[in-house]
Amino acid sequence: MTMTAGVVLPARNTLFTLARGALGGGVIGASLTALVVGAVIRSVPLFVTGLGVPAVYALLVFLAGVPRRAREAAIAPRTALATVESVEAVRDEATSDVPVRFVSTVAPDDAPAYRVAFTQHVHLADLPDYRAGDVVVVQYPPDRPWRVRLVKRPTPEWEERAAGARIDPAPGPVLAGEEPEGSAVGFVRLLALLLAAAGVLLLFRTDLFDEDTSAGSPSPTRPSVSASTSSSTTVVSSASGTVTLAPHQSFLDQGELRKAITALTRGTDVRMGTAVVVQDRILSVVYAHTGSQTATFELDSLPYDRFPALVKEAQSSLGTGSPQTWELTVECLTGSLTIRVGVTAVGGTAWLEADGDAKVVRRTPAR
């Protein structure tokens, strides 16, 4: 049986391939950078976004391909005879199935013969069954003749036809089917990845590098940031405010707490808060949202001048030994204003609790 060649190359959509490569690279670059930046600045929404974007993208790609896969599944594959021109193991693997590259001439019953190269996994025990010059049974989609697959267990009818057939190799080029992506697609993907990563870094540069807002656009998570000075750094957003002192300063110094609270509320209409946390050089305030059901208190009404005394009392009287770190927290989750001071030393952590007037109501020794 001698057939003539007729090669129909698969259609290519270069623009679509480039666009898909750019989109994929952008998703990878943006999501990976969001994960890293979210972890560095401790932004849970940004970190979750870095995890969610690839998942959403993968879901959209899957859903977009459902109609195409449904159409392909509805088309019955064609069966034909083919002669094996060459057999080559692509690579060695530590499994019983190895990828083998076949170059074959496929001879359909109702179409011209054509040459095709394809790769298929073959069991080691079945490799001797596929030698150059052998006639085998293959199947392929009629609209994608380059997707050839060996039929490992053909029907008796096709086995009989293959045993008595002789197919001469067809002239002409080899139909390679799905061509690997070219260098242009790789370049576009890499460029999109870098641009997406740079975009995320640019958006959150203030959070990463503590830049002054006067030098660039504000960060989405911290809309306004006051100027950094040699003595302290003040960061204010719609949800919270933070003041960080210089290494030689402490909030135990007289007047530092009151001055920091004034700096956080100056020029804003924020007067109510839900929590205040003070450490040696860091003050954090959580503002109350409009319409929030959480118990709140007036930020200006707290006895800030008494806070250093409470900390020193906790350090000196709670049996912690030489204090190493301390933290003071103000909240009113139970309905009444509560001030708690925790002091951590080698022997453990001791606690002191006071009311809204800074009067001590409970002490918990270190343990």
Side-chain angles (χ1 to χ4, degrees):
M1 182 189 308
T2 303
M3 299 290 179
T4 59
V7 178
V8 180
L9 295 177
R12 305 294 177 191
N13 191 334
T14 305
L15 183 60
F16 173 77
T17 304
L18 290 175
R20 185 175 58 182
L23 182 60
V27 169
I28 295 173
S31 59
L32 289 179
T33 309
L35 285 174
V36 175
V37 174
V40 171
I41 68 176
R42 299 180 181 179
S43 172
V44 175
L46 182 60
F47 189 85
V48 172
T49 300
L51 292 175
V53 168
V56 173
Y57 175 72
L59 178 61
L60 291 177
V61 170
F62 173 79
L63 294 177
V66 168
R68 174 182 57 82
R69 290 191 294 270
R71 290 193 303 269
E72 294 176 355
I75 302 176
R78 289 184 179 177
T79 304
L81 297 179
T83 182
V84 179
E85 297 183 23
S86 65
V87 181
E88 179 185 2
V90 177
R91 60 183 180 273
D92 294 331
E93 294 185 353
T95 61
S96 57
D97 289 342
V98 295
V100 179
R101 185 176 187 272
F102 294 89
V103 176
S104 302
T105 292
V106 180
D109 291 339
D110 55 354
Y114 62 93
R115 301 178 70 203
V116 65
F118 63 96
T119 301
Q120 183 171 341
H121 282 74
V122 178
H123 195 278
L124 288 172
D126 297 332
L127 282 178
D129 297 337
Y130 303 104
R131 296 167 299 185
D134 288 351
V135 176
V136 295
V137 180
V138 297
Q139 284 186 336
Y140 60 90
D143 57 338
R144 299 179 305 282
W146 58 89
R147 291 191 177 181
V148 175
R149 281 292 174 264
L150 297 171
V151 179
K152 297 181 180 180
R153 294 179 179 81
T155 62
E157 177 187 356
W158 280 101
E159 280 188 346
E160 183 178 352
R161 290 186 58 181
R166 183 180 66 86
I167 303 175
D168 295 332
V174 176
L175 181 61
E178 302 292 345
E179 295 178 356
E181 294 179 347
S183 57
V185 177
F187 174 78
V188 169
R189 179 181 289 114
L190 177 60
L191 180 62
L193 187 150
L194 295 177
L195 289 176
V200 175
L201 291 175
L202 183 64
L203 285 174
F204 294 93
R205 67 187 185 280
T206 303
D207 305 78
L208 286 170
F209 308 110
D210 288 333
E211 294 179 348
D212 191 329
T213 50
S214 62
S217 301
S219 166
T221 58
R222 294 178 183 172
S224 69
V225 183
S226 68
S228 299
T229 68
S230 59
S231 60
S232 65
T233 301
T234 304
V235 179
V236 182
S237 74
S238 61
S240 64
T242 303
V243 176
T244 304
L245 298 179
H248 63 278
Q249 295 178 304
S250 171
F251 280 115
L252 296 180
D253 298 339
Q254 185 176 5
E256 283 293 346
L257 268 174
R258 179 71 65 178
K259 183 170 65 174
I261 290 295
T262 301
L264 290 176
T265 57
R266 183 186 298 118
T268 69
D269 58 355
V270 176
R271 293 294 178 268
M272 306 299 291
T274 59
V276 173
V277 180
V278 187
Q279 296 176 342
D280 189 53
R281 295 192 302 111
I282 300 177
L283 165 67
S284 299
V285 177
V286 179
Y287 301 136
H289 296 287
T290 303
S292 173
Q293 302 300 318
T294 307
T296 62
F297 53 85
E298 292 186 9
L299 293 173
D300 293 336
S301 67
L302 298 180
Y304 295 105
D305 296 336
R306 286 280 299 149
F307 285 3
L310 289 176
V311 174
K312 291 179 180 179
E313 181 177 352
Q315 291 175 334
S316 62
S317 64
L318 296 186
T320 60
S322 300
Q324 293 180 344
T325 60
W326 62 271
E327 181 176 282
L328 183 148
T329 305
V330 182
E331 48 84 13
C332 54
L333 296 178
T334 59
S336 59
L337 194 66
T338 302
I339 304 172
R340 293 186 179 87
V341 181
V343 180
T344 301
V346 176
T349 300
W351 293 91
L352 178 151
E353 186 173 316
D355 58 17
D357 296 324
K359 180 180 179 180
V360 177
V361 296
R362 185 178 297 106
R363 295 180 174 86
T364 304
R367 55 189 178 192

